Amino acid sequence: MSNAGKMPKEEGIDHSVSLIREGYMYILNKRRSFNSDIFETRLLGKKAICMGGKEAAELFYDSEKFKRKDAAPNRVIQTLFGKNGVQALDGQAHKHRKEMFMSIMSPKELSRLTDITKKQWALAATRWAQEDQVTLYEEAKEILLRTACEWAGVPVQESEIKNLTSYFGAMFESAGAIGPKHWMGRNARNQAEEWMQELIDNVRLGTITPPENTALYRFSWHRELDGNLLETEVAAVEVINIVRPIVAIAIFINFITLALHHYPEERKKLQAGDEKYAEMFIQEVRRYYPFFPFVTALVKKDFIWNGYQFEKGTLTLLDLYGTNHDPEIWDNPDVFNPARFSNWQESPFGFIPQGGGDYVGGHRCAGEWVTIEIMKVSLNFLLNQMTYEIPDQDLSYSMVNIPSIPRSKIVIENVKLKI
Ligand code: HEM
């Protein structure tokens, strides 16, 4: 029987302000108050559907029912995504482009990335040992910028490192911002795109020859379904789609450090435990802390789901944070407990810090394995290869500002290497 018209509805002209005010909790708060995993609202002046939970995630990732073209707000394209990147493609064009991304995610390439990450951590920590204090978030971004560029075959001059770190950081730090911070993000994207386009032109001219297994080489020479090379602008956006999110792992490194600080018993378990426990800890960091709040798509054609009518063109938001904190999926979701992953029933839709579903057939994050590998190296370094102290500071983090980063960005002092 059709339930059409009975979807719980948030009354009012527009609720964009509630979304800005409630941040990561907006969808989850409404899901709780409606006692429903799905509700209708109005965002950015348009009707929108918000949903969360395992079943909703499975629906959202059905590419027969939802499309990505024109789904992301302009301000996100101007800062975080860039124009005409993989995020906004559908169907065969998406699959073909996504294969290009997944082609650099082989075990061999991931192991090369692990080695580079270890080297960059050791170099940075050696430097920190000479300093009174360092701000871990800023330092981690630089470690990751260096790591990402080396892994992706992108040549960088030492004199460019500081500026590039700040451009790549600003692109994701401004993703949820309005006003001056948004403009800083746009400017950062323009600068980074210009720089990357020049590199791609140089690869094509033969004046730069990155190794053939790297993103810079592969994306520069990738051919579209029509046989043409990617437009320079698009190839630049896609190489940036590798470097930028690797730099963003600095946020997870801050949350790893925070978890080690707030849960000292976990530090002991990790030191006594094996690699399996370290992996469980990392999964729990990805589940527990806020990062990407939701993803957006448009309804591709009219359909009915669980009796609810979905109309073609309706903006739909899938609650990532709320699904990772859904009591239907997780016992005591607001407790930090790595052990929950010991006999976890793995599902592509219940644990979605980096999106859900399938990598090639869908829009699940291309860099999930990269993220986990870099987090593993970073955890091991913080735990076993250095000692440090955390002086008094504001370690709180916002559930409203997107992306959320501990307020002090975690200042550490008295760094000593154990190796
Ligand atoms: C820093 C931690 C990261 C988080 C929280 C994260 C999160 C996400 C999310 C939520 C999506 C969207 C999923 C969807 O649209 O359904 C996504 C897509 C994507 N991510 Fe990540 N990501 C991270 C790291 C990475 C890394 C390290 C890379 C590359 C090395 C990467 C590359 C991508 C790409 C290319 C897409 C677009 C996939 C597509 O549209 O098919 N991400 N990520």
Side-chain angles (χ1 to χ4, degrees), residues 249-354:
I249 299 170
I251 296 181
F252 274 147
I253 293 177
N254 247 237
F255 284 131
I256 288 175
T257 314
L258 196 64
L260 291 173
H261 183 67
H262 280 160
Y263 308 106
E265 68 286 1
E266 289 301 330
R267 184 178 269 276
K268 286 192 200 124
K269 283 188 211 163
L270 283 161
Q271 272 158 340
D274 52 12
E275 209 180 307
K276 169 85 179 122
Y277 196 78
E279 261 178 44
M280 284 157 45
F281 178 90
I282 280 164
Q283 297 295 53
E284 183 66 346
V285 168
R286 295 197 312 133
R287 184 197 71 82
Y288 180 81
Y289 291 102
F291 200 145
F292 234 88
F294 51 77
V295 277
T296 54
L298 297 180
V299 176
K300 195 168 165 183
K301 56 183 181 200
D302 290 0
F303 68 88
I304 290 175
W305 179 75
N306 283 355
Y308 296 127
Q309 175 76 45
F310 284 69
E311 264 176 62
K312 185 178 172 179
T314 308
L315 176 67
T316 306
L317 281 68
L318 174 69
D319 185 10
L320 300 184
Y321 177 81
T323 302
N324 293 335
H325 288 257
D326 187 333
E328 292 285 317
I329 307 174
W330 309 98
D331 285 339
N332 297 318
D334 297 327
V335 172
F336 185 85
N337 175 23
R340 69 173 75 249
F341 283 97
S342 69
N343 46 20
W344 169 52
Q345 301 296 309
E346 198 164 339
S347 139
F349 302 109
F351 176 48
I352 51 174
Q354 297 181 226

Side-chain angles (χ1 to χ4, degrees), residues 61 68 87 94 98 101 245 249 292 320 354 363 365 367 371:
Y61 282 102
R68 299 305 181 96
Q87 292 94 338
H94 173 262
K98 193 68 174 284
F101 277 92
I249 299 170
F292 234 88
L320 300 184
Q354 297 181 226
H363 284 268
C365 173
T371 308

